[in-house]
Amino acid sequence: MNQKTLNIMEYDRIKQAIRGYLVSAAGQHELAKLHPTADRERLQRWLDETQDGADIYRLESGIPLPKLDDIRPHLKRLALEAVLNGLELAQISRVLWTTSSVVRFFDQLADKEVTLRQLNDEVHELVTIPDVTRRLRTSLEGDGHLTDDASPELRQIRQHITQTAAAIRQTMDQYTRGKDAKYLSETIVTIRDDRYVLPVRSEYKQHFGGIVHDQSASGQTLFIEPQAVVGLNNQLRQNQMAERHEEQRILAELTALLDPYQHEILRNAQILGHLDFVNAKAKYAHQMKATEPQLSADDQINLRQARHPLIDPKKVVANDITMGQDYKTIVVTGPNTGGKTITLKTLALLQLMGQSGLFIPANEHSTIGVFDDIFADIGDEQSIEQSLSTFSGHMENIVSILAHADEHSLVVIDELGAGTDPQEGAALAIAILDDLGTLGSYVMVSTHYPELKAYGYNRPETINASMEFDAQTLQPTYRLLIGIPGRSNAFDIAARLGMPEQVVAAARSLTDQDSQDLNAMIADLTEQKRRVDADADSLQTQLQEATELHQDLQKRFDQYQHQKDQLMLDAKREANRLVDESRKRANQIIADIRKKQLAAGQSVVKEDELIAAQGALNALQQDTGLKKNRVLRREKAKHAFKKGDNVLVKSYGQQGVLMQQLDDDHWEVQLGILKMKIATSDLEKGADPAKSRKQPKATVQRTGSSGMSPTLDLRGHRYEEAMAEVDRYIDSALLAGYPSVTIIHGKGTGALRQGVTNYLKGNKRIKSFGFSPANAGGDGSTIVRFK
């Protein structure tokens, strides 16, 4: 894509707008390299990433990324075996921590079943290094300062420094607040040469003894280290030197931890920068109300209500711009200040944005082509240095366009042929358009020449267009009218501005009849187009109302279907209740008959007849399962029958065993001594008798726990009362067999929390304890787990 077109279309202003949403140096670097592409596969991948970013922004307000610095120089120093300083390590630590955070974020998206096109594959390339990340986070603050947790030795040294400094200040305070204060210039303690000193009046320098480290500019004040603190200052100095040595040792150790992972860390930073760039594209698209452009296989352009992205959204006028199907050249005619230039720039700039993987400010389902190059000749090309006139500058640019354009090029030219004799300019414009047509390029040009209106009618794959002009107010509306050439409004404007009527009439008489007829025809076409647009708007409103009515009716129909299903379910449940009562009564009668037959020693009723009678009664049972219940369907799918399965014959209420499948809908089932042909729909998987036998199992009986809560609330209790309550509660919880309990002590001054912690540390029956999660009270409550 040639740089000249990018400059004319102010492509860098688009990049500048995106830059405001970036938070990482790697993202800034990727944005700087952004350039339109003609590679369809790569372009579709870019657009898929932007769509993923837009979906994440809509659902989760974007990918959570903090400010990330450029760590490439640090990794170069690491490759040279240099020891990194605290700030460099902290910046690398932030990259590693963010890597883990982003991986967790995308795992959560997967759990929520959020479908993404591309970003999941890229996130899978991130490498987490949990041990190193944890060590760096523990050892370093955000500004690179080493924490006391960096090593036990560093913690001990800093404690000594604090204690020694406190002892020095305590000694010094005796001078500043005691009887010796009168010998001081000011009753303060200050530092010179990293040692604590007093500002002593020069005439009393012998009073304190010690070492003079400095004096004031006037010489009236000496900064003296009293003899009483020389030893303490020496000790403090030694501790400070030990602290620096320990810090250097820790930095070298942390640097060594990173050394094996140089490539992974650099790749992580690049991927995080890319995700930051995707985030920025999505946020910019949201701010512009932009949509994803569809890529046309044959380079057709269909921009629906396209808007120039650099014009105030409250002032910009949207236009439909189409080309490539019925015509490949659009000739826009009409007077100045009508919006021709902005329309040309809108087409080219949106095409550049789309081919950069950015969403475009147009309605959904807009389509763009994929061009190898986009050429533009817009603006004044006059150059004093090259001694070129405006016309010469334009011609030089167009010569270059004709030399490089082909059937995969988009060309936009403003005021084609302007700057010279109108007759020659019009002829030259026609010849240039013919040449571009021969090349097969996609072309949109603007011109003042009326001769090009006829050109738009006569040439194949060419169409006229104009910018709408309100005949009532004689003001441009900035709306593009495809298929209608521009008309001259000079006479109307002149008359409206007060030009004498006889002058306007004389001017009209000097215009040939053909021109007047053409203007009248254009005016009539414009009015027809206006009426058609009004009718289309009315039909669109009616369609929307009809759609809303249809949706409302569909919703009500669905509610009716749901109510009908519910009523049917209730009726079946009532019927089943009656059948259950009848079955119980029938089972009792059958049992009585069997007892009597057994007592009489003879069988009046055959066993299979009893089973059949019982089955007829069971057949009255209603299936209350909903047809559309997906859970039930999944459960049924799990119960696929196979030979040897134990089953329940629902209609007989008898357990049996599957012997063989007779066909798709029937099985042979062994019911006691009988073998019967049973429909598959009448079978239900039964439990394995061997597995259903009760197994002996150990039980634990809890006593006295029926009314005990798993939570103890100590808020509002006095300290001694609370500790006694904790002791009683822990004993009761152990007796009740609770695996864990929660003790709520609140935050407050921290006394209760510390008391609970000390108690739990000393109780050998406690397995572990810790604060509740942040969303469950945090350090205001403690979870206790028992052994």
Side-chain angles (χ1 to χ4, degrees):
M1 210 68 66
N2 67 85
Q3 187 62 40
K4 184 180 183 64
T5 299
L6 297 178
N7 294 338
I8 291 174
M9 297 305 156
E10 299 179 282
Y11 181 75
D12 279 344
R13 289 185 60 187
I14 301 296
K15 294 171 67 172
Q16 185 64 34
I18 297 173
R19 186 173 290 111
Y21 296 103
L22 292 169
V23 297
S24 69
Q28 298 275 4
H29 181 68
E30 183 161 348
L31 175 64
K33 297 190 300 182
L34 180 63
H35 201 264
T37 181
D39 185 331
R40 284 181 176 272
E41 184 176 347
R42 178 188 300 172
L43 177 54
Q44 187 60 60
R45 186 170 65 252
W46 288 358
L47 290 172
D48 288 344
E49 290 173 348
T50 308
Q51 182 61 52
D52 286 347
D55 289 340
I56 293 172
Y57 184 78
R58 175 174 52 84
L59 296 171
E60 304 289 341
S61 299
I63 305 169
L65 292 169
K67 184 179 183 301
L68 298 174
D69 298 287
D70 188 1
I71 64 170
R72 289 177 299 172
H74 313 338
L75 294 175
K76 288 181 180 179
R77 293 191 63 229
L78 184 62
L80 296 174
E81 300 183 356
V83 175
L84 303 184
N85 60 43
L87 181 59
E88 292 170 332
L89 289 168
Q91 291 174 354
I92 293 177
S93 171
R94 192 175 296 113
V95 169
L96 291 175
W97 177 83
T98 303
T99 299
S100 300
S101 176
V102 167
V103 169
R104 286 195 301 272
F105 174 78
F106 277 86
D107 287 343
Q108 292 169 1
L109 286 182
D111 293 339
K112 296 177 183 178
E113 297 184 356
V114 176
T115 302
L116 301 177
R117 301 181 188 175
Q118 285 288 339
L119 291 187
N120 279 331
D121 294 338
E122 296 170 18
V123 170
H124 287 159
E125 295 184 35
L126 289 171
V127 178
T128 58
I129 316 172
D131 293 338
V132 175
T133 304
R134 193 180 306 111
R135 177 67 195 282
L136 289 173
R137 292 280 290 180
T138 303
S139 303
L140 292 160
E141 295 178 354
D143 60 357
H145 179 261
L146 285 170
T147 66
D148 292 350
D149 295 326
S151 77
E153 292 81 4
L154 183 61
R155 178 186 293 276
Q156 185 176 13
I157 292 171
R158 286 180 175 174
Q159 288 175 349
H160 290 162
I161 290 174
T162 302
Q163 293 168 359
T164 305
I168 294 172
R169 283 192 170 276
Q170 184 177 5
T171 303
M172 293 293 229
D173 286 345
Q174 296 175 0
Y175 293 114
T176 58
R177 298 179 182 176
K179 61 182 180 180
D180 293 326
K182 61 185 177 182
Y183 303 118
L184 304 178
S185 299
E186 294 182 80
T187 56
I188 61 171
V189 177
T190 185
I191 294 177
R192 290 293 186 276
D193 299 330
D194 294 329
R195 301 175 78 88
Y196 288 92
V197 297
L198 295 171
V200 181
R201 296 178 183 178
S202 59
E203 59 267 29
Y204 301 115
K205 63 180 179 180
Q206 301 299 331
H207 180 76
F208 294 93
I211 303 170
V212 177
H213 286 276
D214 199 1
Q215 68 177 4
S216 65
S218 63
Q220 299 298 312
T221 299
L222 299 177
F223 295 94
I224 298 177
E225 178 185 1
Q227 186 62 43
V229 298
V230 169
L232 289 173
N233 268 331
N234 288 339
Q235 183 179 346
L236 178 64
R237 185 66 175 162
Q238 290 173 358
N239 287 335
Q240 290 171 340
M241 293 175 62
E243 179 188 28
R244 283 196 290 272
H245 288 144
E246 178 62 14
E247 288 177 345
Q248 287 299 317
R249 187 194 69 77
I250 294 172
L251 292 176
E253 181 180 321
L254 295 177
T255 301
L257 287 177
L258 296 176
D259 185 62
Y261 305 104
Q262 295 181 44
H263 174 74
E264 289 83 356
I265 294 172
L266 179 60
R267 181 60 182 151
N268 284 350
Q270 292 171 343
I271 295 174
L272 292 177
H274 182 65
L275 294 178
D276 180 32
F277 177 56
V278 171
N279 240 3
K281 290 194 295 181
K283 292 177 180 178
Y284 181 57
H286 177 77
Q287 179 263 323
M288 283 196 306
K289 296 182 174 57
T291 63
E292 179 186 11
Q294 306 299 315
L295 301 184
S296 169
D298 50 359
D299 293 335
Q300 291 186 24
I301 297 174
N302 181 19
L303 301 178
R304 304 174 63 247
Q305 293 298 288
R307 309 176 299 278
H308 196 288
L310 302 178
I311 298 179
D312 186 346
K314 297 179 181 178
K315 298 179 180 179
V316 69
V317 176
N319 279 303
D320 292 335
I321 305 175
T322 60
M323 61 176 7
Q325 183 173 2
D326 298 323
Y327 47 87
K328 296 176 70 174
T329 300
I330 301 176
V331 180
V332 187
T333 54
N336 283 332
T337 70
K340 297 191 301 294
T341 303
I342 288 298
T343 303
L344 265 63
K345 285 188 173 183
T346 300
L347 168 64
L349 183 54
L350 265 59
Q351 186 65 47
L352 290 171
M353 291 175 63
Q355 288 192 227
S356 301
L358 304 176
F359 282 10
I360 59 175
N363 287 359
E364 291 184 347
H365 309 300
S366 292
T367 304
I368 62 172
V370 181
F371 298 105
D372 292 342
D373 214 335
I374 299 175
F375 300 97
D377 181 65
I378 299 176
D380 191 352
E381 298 293 326
Q382 186 172 0
S383 171
I384 297 176
E385 292 181 0
Q386 298 180 15
S387 300
L388 295 175
S389 67
T390 299
F391 176 76
S392 300
H394 282 304
M395 286 302 103
E396 187 177 76
N397 195 15
I398 291 173
V399 167
S400 175
I401 292 173
L402 293 175
H404 296 93
D406 58 22
E407 68 273 15
H408 300 297
S409 300
L410 173 65
V411 179
V412 292
I413 302 176
D414 191 27
E415 301 297 348
L416 179 61
T420 187
D421 176 77
Q423 187 174 359
E424 292 182 354
L428 188 58
I430 291 173
I432 292 171
L433 288 175
D434 280 342
D435 197 45
L436 288 171
T438 302
L439 294 172
S441 302
Y442 293 71
V443 182
M444 188 174 190
V445 300
S446 68
T447 180
H448 279 105
Y449 297 132
E451 289 87 350
L452 267 71
K453 299 175 185 178
Y455 178 89
Y457 280 113
N458 297 330
R459 291 300 194 274
E461 295 188 320
T462 304
I463 194 169
N464 278 313
S466 62
M467 304 308 296
E468 186 180 54
F469 201 84
D470 191 327
Q472 301 298 323
T473 63
L474 297 181
Q475 295 293 325
T477 65
Y478 306 107
R479 293 183 60 225
L480 178 67
L481 302 177
I482 299 289
I484 300 176
R487 59 172 292 216
S488 172
N489 298 282
F491 297 151
D492 295 333
I493 294 173
R496 187 176 181 85
L497 294 176
M499 183 70 69
E501 185 177 344
Q502 65 273 16
V503 176
V504 175
R508 290 186 190 276
S509 66
L510 295 174
T511 306
D512 60 53
Q513 187 61 40
D514 289 342
S515 296
Q516 295 184 33
D517 292 343
L518 179 59
N519 279 331
M521 179 190 69
I522 293 172
D524 182 59
L525 285 173
T526 303
E527 178 59 23
Q528 291 183 30
K529 178 71 164 56
R530 187 193 64 76
R531 289 199 301 267
V532 169
D533 288 344
D535 291 343
D537 292 339
S538 175
L539 290 173
Q540 182 63 35
T541 302
Q542 294 177 26
L543 175 61
Q544 183 175 355
E545 292 174 352
T547 301
E548 292 174 355
L549 177 60
H550 172 74
Q551 292 173 347
D552 182 60
L553 290 174
Q554 183 66 45
K555 180 179 179 182
R556 293 177 183 273
F557 177 74
D558 292 341
Q559 291 174 347
Y560 161 74
Q561 289 285 13
H562 176 72
Q563 292 174 356
K564 186 182 75 171
D565 291 342
Q566 188 61 43
L567 289 172
M568 183 63 72
L569 178 62
D570 292 342
K572 289 182 177 180
R573 285 173 176 168
E574 178 62 19
N576 288 342
R577 186 184 65 78
L578 297 174
V579 171
D580 287 340
E581 292 178 357
S582 300
R583 183 189 296 115
K584 292 177 182 177
R585 180 61 180 158
N587 288 339
Q588 183 62 43
I589 294 172
I590 292 173
D592 291 342
I593 292 174
R594 285 173 175 162
K595 287 181 180 178
K596 292 176 180 179
Q597 290 182 159
L598 184 62
Q602 58 181 351
S603 178
V604 179
V605 182
K606 295 181 179 180
E607 183 67 22
D608 60 340
E609 292 176 353
L610 288 176
I611 293 176
Q614 190 177 33
L617 181 62
N618 289 338
L620 297 176
Q621 186 79 20
Q622 298 294 314
D623 184 8
T624 58
L626 297 178
K627 295 180 180 179
K628 296 182 179 180
N629 192 319
R630 288 179 293 176
V631 176
L632 292 178
R633 288 206 303 268
R634 285 198 299 267
E635 287 300 316
K636 288 181 179 179
K638 295 178 183 177
H639 299 303
F641 296 119
K642 63 181 183 296
K643 182 178 179 180
D645 281 351
N646 293 283
V647 294
L648 170 67
V649 182
K650 293 185 288 186
S651 59
Y652 296 158
Q654 298 291 322
Q655 294 282 346
V657 179
L658 295 180
M659 304 305 294
Q660 60 179 328
Q661 187 171 6
L662 302 177
D663 54 46
D664 291 342
D665 298 321
H666 294 85
W667 281 82
E668 183 183 76
V669 183
Q670 180 83 42
L671 292 172
I673 61 173
L674 300 177
K675 290 184 180 180
M676 302 183 67
K677 178 180 179 182
I678 306 294
T680 304
S681 60
D682 196 23
L683 297 176
E684 184 179 290
K685 248 188 178 179
D688 187 346
K691 295 182 180 179
S692 64
R693 297 193 190 105
K694 292 185 178 179
Q695 299 292 331
K697 58 181 180 181
T699 60
V700 177
Q701 183 176 4
R702 294 196 287 184
T703 61
S705 64
S706 59
M708 181 181 175
S709 170
T711 302
L712 173 62
D713 193 345
L714 299 177
R715 290 175 295 183
H717 288 56
R718 297 171 60 85
Y719 182 87
E720 294 78 11
E721 178 187 358
M723 292 300 100
E725 184 67 18
V726 169
D727 188 59
R728 288 194 297 271
Y729 180 78
I730 293 298
D731 288 339
S732 299
L734 286 166
L735 289 174
Y738 284 172
S740 66
V741 294
T742 300
I743 301 176
I744 303 174
H745 42 65
K747 299 181 181 179
T749 61
L752 274 181
R753 175 176 57 197
Q754 188 60 44
V756 170
T757 300
N758 293 338
Y759 172 84
L760 296 174
K761 286 181 178 178
N763 194 326
K764 296 181 179 179
R765 297 171 296 178
I766 306 302
K767 179 180 180 181
S768 64
F769 63 93
F771 293 140
S772 300
N775 61 358
D779 58 358
S781 61
T782 299
I783 298 176
V784 183
R785 297 174 180 83
F786 300 113
K787 293 182 178 179

